[in-house]
Amino acid sequence: MMQFIRSQVAGIFAKLLFLLLIASFAVWGIGDIFTGDRGGQAVIEIDEIRFTEVEVYNQYQRSRSSLRLGSDLPDELASTLIQQVTDSLVEEGLYQAEAANMGIIITDAMVAEQIRQTASFKDQFGNFDPNIFQRALLNAGLDEAIYIRALKTELLRQQIADAVIAGVRMPSPLTKALFAYHEERRTAQVVKITTADQNVSTPSDAKLQEFYNARQEEFKSPDYRSVTYLQLKPEDFADEIAVTEVELEETYQDQLDQFTTPPTRTVDQALFDSLENAEAAAKRIAEGGDFENTANDVAGNSTTYLSLGEIIPSDLPEVAQTPVFALALNAVSQPIETAFGWHLFKVTAITAGSVKPLTEVKAQIKREIQMSRALDTLFELANGLEDLLAGGATIEEAASELNLRPQSIAAIDPTGQDSTGRPVGDIDKRFIDTVFATETGTQSALIEDQQNSYFVLRVDGVTPATVQPLSSVKQAVTEAWTATAKADAARALGEKIIAAVKAGQSLQQVADANNLSVDTLRAFNRQGDALPSGLPGDLPNLAFELTGTQIDQTEDDNSVAVLQLVSVIPANSDKSKDTLEALSANLMAKISRDTLDLYVASLRSNHNVRINRRVIEDSILGQDGNQGSAGN
């Protein structure tokens, strides 16, 4: 998981321009947002470049959201994410500082041009569309300052980075050698021996005893703990909350959009450069002409007609929404002017809108209101409970004071099961982890879980894991012995087949003699592409270790595979030119990234970098961190 975070956060910042190229009209006249206080004390400083604690916190929240991580992260995971965010902002600041030293400037005009050329902001005609741009800003929830700073920094970084890696080249011999390694294919024959199909005798008591004696640790009872706890869940309070009819009606009206399915139209469009052409086309269509052919004929090209598909009113320019949705089926609009020219619209299908009545959604609305108010009640209770616990109250005392009922678990193991092997109650992994992280006789802190619930617990007793007598676990021991015996039998049969082939028999002959089948595997690479499912995962590695017509075996929990190499197919750069070019481009990208990493490391030694890690961690984690550090 930690490696996932490291790689994903790096990816987020590598793609910062793409993610943030969906916000801001500052470049269209709002002015320079770099002036003024950005909030909070500076916690990262690179020469004159500064990032405040507010900026670091906001960047942390955006990164967490992009990774789809919850707000309640384990400390180690949160610290890793904080470190990645800090490193990325330091890198951003280093490029800004170096650009300042080099006199590189990115103007608002350059930023505006970059936006205008971004494909994501263009309409179906390839033109920049401010409406698309504005919707993207709203959907992304990004503000102008973040966008402008990020885009300007990215353009600065691109100018410097392009110069740094301009001379980077991938040596052709190395590319070809790696290509030959990656693209080599092999064919083989395989005999699959299914472990479960092997016949083994019923074990004697002596054999079971011997097997049990050698593996007693595998048959221990789990570590059990007895627990007393208080749990606050919103659903426990929701049912008691009364909701009036007036409140239901008001909420229904406020949320009417949620219960409304807008009308749709399937629309064809024709765009003309003049009113005269639009009117001429409309006249010919009214006289029976085909909409598409007439539009293209009048305009003199085949790009005038466009099917917009099924749309809602807001998909159209505002001036066209009412007239288009007022059209009857197969009717054509009068010419309508927009910034792009003169339009004719034809409606080819109509779907009426609908609104769910209050009677249909009343129960849903009532439950939402109850749960919302229950959360308020829960929050107040949690604060009161926390105060009582902080004052030294036991779980029982706090429960009595707040008119709550403590609960108990007689035995719970690390998997959340009781002594009979059944799941314990309505608890989650956070609860179980807390149980096994809390010492006997000690109360935990009040903890909020991921279901908007709270719990506090006390471990009352511990039953250590113990080796169970054979008589208590005989069935489990028998099953384990049988599974081991079957695996040994499958392995032994594989070795027998290999020996027979090495003695001169064909693989097919030996397989036939043992009622097994031989499958011919079509050419596959080192990653096992094109291999059928159900074979041991290590089979490609084995195949690429063999030479000639060598034979060997590999296995997994379900089967043993006897593999004989048939042929080696070298990589063919002439037939796989695209693959060779893709590999070269991928290697170039990696070398360029490594070069830039070295360059950034050199920038750190050439610029004054100061990071107040204590304040950063306190602002994000809300707890005391280590002392802030200054320097590189």
Side-chain angles (χ1 to χ4, degrees):
M1 182 64 177
M2 305 307 290
Q3 181 58 37
F4 168 79
I5 290 296
R6 294 185 181 99
S7 65
Q8 292 299 309
V9 172
I12 287 171
F13 285 94
K15 299 167 185 166
L16 188 59
L17 177 60
F18 175 77
L19 293 176
L20 295 177
L21 275 182
I22 50 177
S24 172
F25 279 105
V27 293
W28 313 121
I30 294 177
D32 188 358
I33 53 79
F34 284 97
T35 60
D37 184 13
R38 295 197 298 249
Q41 70 180 96
V43 292
I44 300 175
E45 297 178 82
I46 303 94
D47 295 347
E48 301 303 317
I49 307 300
R50 60 194 293 270
F51 298 95
T52 68
E53 60 181 299
V54 173
E55 291 175 298
V56 176
Y57 176 80
N58 289 339
Q59 188 61 33
Y60 170 87
Q61 295 297 341
R62 285 191 293 273
S63 299
R64 182 187 56 75
S65 177
S66 297
L67 291 168
R68 291 182 171 83
L69 297 174
S71 58
D72 190 15
L73 297 182
D75 288 347
E76 183 184 5
L77 196 57
S79 296
T80 299
L81 187 56
I82 291 170
Q83 183 62 51
Q84 293 299 316
V85 168
T86 302
D87 289 346
S88 296
L89 289 175
V90 167
E91 180 174 332
E92 177 183 331
L94 286 168
Y95 275 109
Q96 290 186 41
E98 186 66 10
N101 287 350
M102 298 170 69
I104 299 175
I105 298 174
I106 302 297
T107 66
D108 283 352
M110 296 168 66
V111 174
E113 182 61 23
Q114 178 69 48
I115 296 172
R116 291 191 186 96
Q117 297 305 318
T118 302
S120 301
F121 307 142
K122 294 182 178 181
D123 59 23
Q124 62 265 39
F125 307 108
N127 300 313
F128 172 76
D129 188 339
N131 292 325
I132 295 175
F133 195 38
Q134 194 170 28
R135 283 200 299 270
L137 170 65
L138 181 64
N139 293 337
L142 298 172
D143 62 46
E144 297 162 359
I146 294 170
Y147 165 73
I148 294 298
R149 191 184 76 234
L151 179 53
K152 284 193 172 183
T153 300
E154 177 62 18
L155 293 176
L156 286 172
R157 190 198 68 82
Q158 283 181 353
Q159 289 201 25
I160 297 173
D162 289 349
V164 171
I165 64 176
V168 175
R169 294 291 182 270
M170 185 66 194
S172 179
L174 177 57
T175 301
K176 291 181 178 179
L178 290 172
F179 174 79
Y181 178 84
H182 283 286
E183 295 304 311
E184 179 183 314
R185 299 289 192 270
R186 301 205 166 192
T187 62
Q189 289 186 316
V190 65
V191 174
K192 181 179 176 181
I193 305 168
T194 304
T195 303
D197 292 343
Q198 305 311 301
N199 294 319
V200 296
S201 59
T202 302
S204 65
D205 289 343
K207 285 185 177 181
L208 283 181
Q209 186 67 57
E210 179 183 0
F211 185 83
Y212 169 79
N213 290 342
R215 304 189 179 192
Q216 287 188 15
E217 290 295 316
E218 298 178 18
F219 303 104
K220 276 186 172 183
S221 64
D223 178 0
Y224 288 106
R225 298 197 170 197
S226 57
V227 179
T228 298
Y229 68 100
L230 267 179
Q231 190 174 39
L232 306 178
K233 299 186 296 181
E235 52 266 34
D236 291 341
F237 303 94
D239 292 339
E240 302 174 2
I241 295 174
V243 180
T244 67
E245 291 296 323
V246 173
E247 290 171 327
L248 290 172
E249 177 65 33
E250 290 177 349
T251 304
Y252 173 74
Q253 293 298 331
D254 290 341
Q255 300 178 0
L256 195 58
D257 286 349
Q258 298 181 24
F259 310 119
T260 301
T261 301
T264 65
R265 300 291 187 270
T266 301
V267 177
D268 293 341
Q269 170 188 267
L271 180 65
F272 303 91
D273 58 4
S274 68
L275 174 60
E276 291 75 17
N277 283 344
E279 288 177 334
K283 180 179 179 182
R284 288 173 55 178
I285 294 170
E287 293 172 350
D290 177 75
F291 185 85
E292 178 179 356
N293 293 335
T294 301
N296 291 335
D297 183 48
V298 171
N301 62 67
S302 60
T303 61
T304 292
Y305 169 83
L306 178 68
S307 175
L308 300 181
E310 187 175 22
I311 61 173
I312 61 176
S314 60
D315 291 328
L316 291 169
E318 185 174 352
V319 67
Q321 293 175 10
T322 299
V324 170
F325 273 75
L327 290 173
L329 183 63
N330 293 321
V332 177
S333 71
Q334 294 298 312
I336 298 174
E337 185 181 15
T338 73
F340 301 109
W342 290 89
H343 302 253
L344 294 179
F345 296 97
K346 179 180 180 181
V347 172
T348 60
I350 295 175
T351 302
S354 63
V355 179
K356 292 181 179 179
L358 176 57
T359 53
E360 186 177 333
V361 296
K362 180 179 289 188
Q364 174 188 337
I365 295 175
K366 179 179 179 181
R367 191 59 178 175
E368 289 175 355
I369 295 173
Q370 288 177 320
M371 289 296 289
S372 176
R373 293 179 182 173
L375 287 174
D376 295 337
T377 300
L378 201 66
F379 182 73
E380 295 175 3
L381 268 175
N383 283 336
L385 177 57
E386 193 165 38
D387 291 341
L388 290 169
L389 296 173
T394 65
I395 288 176
E396 290 82 358
E397 291 168 344
S400 177
E401 182 72 21
L402 298 173
N403 197 27
L404 301 173
R405 183 172 61 86
Q407 302 177 67
S408 63
I409 300 172
I412 183 173
D413 70 14
T415 67
Q417 297 182 325
D418 63 19
S419 57
T420 66
R422 296 173 180 171
V424 174
D426 184 19
I427 58 175
D428 62 9
K429 185 177 183 300
R430 184 78 183 270
F431 184 96
I432 298 169
D433 290 345
T434 304
V435 169
F436 285 86
T438 304
E439 295 183 2
T440 307
T442 303
Q443 287 183 176
S444 71
L446 182 64
I447 296 172
E448 182 179 6
D449 65 22
Q450 295 182 345
Q451 285 74 47
N452 293 317
S453 300
Y454 296 84
F455 69 84
V456 58
L457 61 83
R458 181 183 66 240
V459 175
D460 297 322
V462 175
T463 303
T466 57
V467 175
Q468 302 178 83
L470 176 58
S471 58
S472 299
V473 292
K474 187 172 183 178
Q475 181 177 349
V477 174
T478 300
E479 291 172 355
W481 181 93
T482 301
T484 300
K486 285 178 176 286
D488 291 342
R491 194 177 303 112
L493 179 55
E495 292 169 353
K496 174 184 173 183
I497 292 172
I498 292 171
V501 172
K502 288 181 177 180
Q505 297 186 59
S506 71
L507 183 59
Q508 186 66 60
Q509 290 173 325
V510 183
D512 290 343
N514 290 276
N515 296 318
L516 296 169
S517 61
V518 178
D519 292 320
T520 299
L521 304 176
R522 62 190 181 99
F524 57 92
N525 60 14
R526 295 176 187 273
Q527 290 72 46
D529 295 343
L531 283 176
S533 60
L535 293 172
D538 193 49
L539 189 141
N541 294 333
L542 173 62
F544 278 82
E545 291 172 0
L546 301 178
T547 60
T549 57
Q550 284 184 326
I551 188 170
D552 205 342
Q553 69 180 28
T554 185
E555 63 184 84
D556 60 15
D557 292 339
N558 300 311
S559 64
V560 170
V562 178
L563 184 82
Q564 184 171 29
L565 187 63
V566 173
S567 66
V568 176
I569 306 172
N572 188 330
S573 58
D574 292 333
K575 291 184 178 181
S576 304
K577 185 178 179 181
D578 291 344
T579 304
L580 178 60
E581 291 176 351
L583 175 63
S584 179
N586 185 42
L587 293 171
M588 267 291 295
K590 292 181 178 179
I591 292 175
S592 297
R593 180 65 257 178
D594 290 343
T595 302
L596 289 176
D597 287 343
L598 292 172
Y599 177 71
V600 170
S602 73
L603 290 181
R604 289 186 74 110
S605 64
N606 294 331
H607 294 274
N608 184 23
V609 179
R610 296 175 60 84
I611 305 170
N612 193 329
R613 299 188 186 279
R614 181 186 61 79
V615 174
I616 291 174
E617 291 181 356
D618 283 355
S619 67
I620 294 175
L621 299 178
Q623 59 186 29
D624 291 339
N626 297 325
Q627 288 296 319
S629 62
N632 296 332

